[in-house]
Amino acid sequence: MRMGFMLKAVKHSVAVGALLITTSAFAADPFEPQVVEMPPYQPPQVVEKSVSTGNWYLRGDAGYHWSELRGIHYYTAPPIQAQTFATHELKGAFSIGGGVGYKISKHFRTDLTADYWLKADFNGSTTNGVDVSSDASAYSALLLMANAYVDLGTYHGITPYVGAGIGGAYVKWDDLANTIGTTTTYHEGNAEWRFAWALMAGASYCLTDSLELDAGYRYANISGGEMFGIAEGAGPGYDEGMHVHEARAGLRFALGGQGSANCAQPQVVSYEPPSFEPPVYK
C-alpha cells in the first residue's frame, strides 16, 4: 500500500513538472505580429502656377496734344527769295486712338497704334519790310506707330513703363488765309506722309485681372514738309517739322481669358497627399 502511494506521488510530480515546463516555454516565446510600415506623413503642398504672358491685348486712348512748329519758310517772286514767318503758333487739340498689342513677357510688350489728331489752329504773321500779314490755317494728322515698352514691375496694382515708337504721320494742312489790310489771299493747304518717332512714359493700374487703366505722356517728333502752295507770287511754304507733346489716358484689355500678366493673380494649385492611416497588422 505504501508502494502504491509513492507511485501515485511520483506520477503527480511528473505531471506538475511537465505543466510548468510547457508554461515556461509559452512564456519565453510570445506572439509578435508583423508590422507593415506606411510612408511618413507629408503636409499639403501649395504650388503657384504662373500666369501666361504671351497674350494679345486691345487698347483705346484719348488725349490732348500741344504742337510746336520748328519754323516756316516760303518763297516770293520775282526774283525768287526765301522768306521766313515772323511769328507762328499752334493751339492745342484733342486726339483719339486705338491699337493692338502683344505681351511678350512680364516686362516687355509691343503694339501697333493709330491715333487721329483733331485740328489744331495755326496763327502766324509775315512781313516784307513794309506790310505785315496775318496768316491763319489749321492742321490735323493721322499717326501710325510701331511701339515697344518696358514695364518696370507691378507695385500694388500700378505698373510704370517707358517706351519708344517709330512710324509715319499723314499731316494735312487746311488752306492758308494770308491777309494784308483788307485783302485776303488763299494758299492751298498740302497733305502728305512724313516720318515720325516718339518717346513715351506712364503707368497702368489694374482695374480687373484683364483690364488696365493706362495714363501717360508721349513726345512725338514729326519731320518737315510742304505746308501750302503758290498764290499771288508767294509760295510754296514749308514747315520745318514739329514737336508734339501729348497727355493720354485709355484702357488696355487682355484677350484670351488668361488675364493681364501685370494684373492676374497666380493660380494656386493645392496638392493633398494620401491621408495617414494607422499601421496594418498581419
Side-chain angles (χ1 to χ4, degrees):
M1 183 174 181
R2 178 176 296 271
M3 182 62 66
F5 176 77
M6 292 179 64
L7 184 58
K8 287 182 180 180
V10 171
K11 289 182 179 181
H12 180 71
S13 299
V14 172
V16 171
L19 179 61
L20 291 175
I21 292 174
T22 303
T23 304
S24 299
F26 277 107
D29 187 19
F31 173 73
E32 295 183 2
Q34 182 180 357
V35 178
V36 178
E37 295 185 359
M38 298 294 292
Y41 173 73
Q42 296 181 356
Q45 299 177 1
V46 176
V47 179
E48 290 188 352
K49 183 179 179 182
S50 61
V51 178
S52 174
T53 55
N55 60 331
W56 295 90
Y57 65 86
L58 298 176
R59 66 178 300 158
D61 301 279
Y64 192 84
H65 65 278
W66 299 265
S67 304
E68 177 187 352
L69 285 168
R70 293 194 285 266
I72 305 173
H73 66 274
Y74 64 101
Y75 298 93
T76 59
I80 297 176
Q81 294 181 332
Q83 308 286 343
T84 61
F85 271 60
T87 63
H88 49 79
E89 180 186 15
L90 281 168
K91 303 294 185 180
F94 290 98
S95 61
I96 56 173
V100 58
Y102 188 75
K103 183 75 170 176
I104 298 173
S105 69
K106 185 173 179 60
H107 296 288
F108 189 70
R109 58 187 170 86
T110 61
D111 59 30
L112 298 175
T113 56
D115 293 271
Y116 180 68
W117 293 344
L118 280 69
K119 286 185 178 182
D121 292 334
F122 166 82
N123 292 289
S125 64
T126 63
T127 180
N128 57 12
V130 178
D131 300 315
V132 177
S133 71
S134 175
D135 300 270
S137 183
Y139 94 94
S140 58
L142 174 64
L143 186 67
L144 302 179
M145 302 291 287
N147 310 290
Y149 309 86
V150 177
D151 289 333
L152 303 177
T154 302
Y155 311 93
H156 304 288
I158 300 175
T159 306
Y161 65 84
V162 294
I166 189 172
Y170 186 76
V171 177
K172 183 181 185 303
W173 282 101
D174 287 353
D175 292 349
L176 178 75
N178 174 261
T179 302
I180 301 176
T182 59
T183 303
T184 299
T185 302
Y186 291 94
H187 298 257
E188 183 180 3
N190 186 61
E192 63 183 351
W193 282 101
R194 304 183 185 187
F195 176 74
W197 59 271
L199 298 174
M200 293 83 75
S204 64
Y205 177 73
C206 299
L207 298 177
T208 69
D209 285 354
S210 300
L211 187 64
E212 295 178 77
L213 174 65
D214 188 326
Y217 162 81
R218 176 168 68 181
Y219 164 76
N221 187 294
I222 311 299
S223 63
E226 185 174 339
M227 179 178 177
F228 56 86
I230 301 173
E232 300 293 331
Y238 297 85
D239 72 76
E240 297 171 7
M242 55 189 82
H243 306 287
V244 183
H245 306 274
E246 185 178 12
R248 299 196 302 167
L251 297 173
R252 298 204 312 262
F253 180 73
L255 302 175
Q258 298 176 345
S260 166
N262 296 335
C263 302
Q265 298 297 320
Q267 181 182 357
V268 177
V269 180
S270 184
Y271 170 72
E272 181 74 35
S275 59
F276 176 78
E277 297 181 359
V280 177
Y281 297 96
K282 294 184 178 179

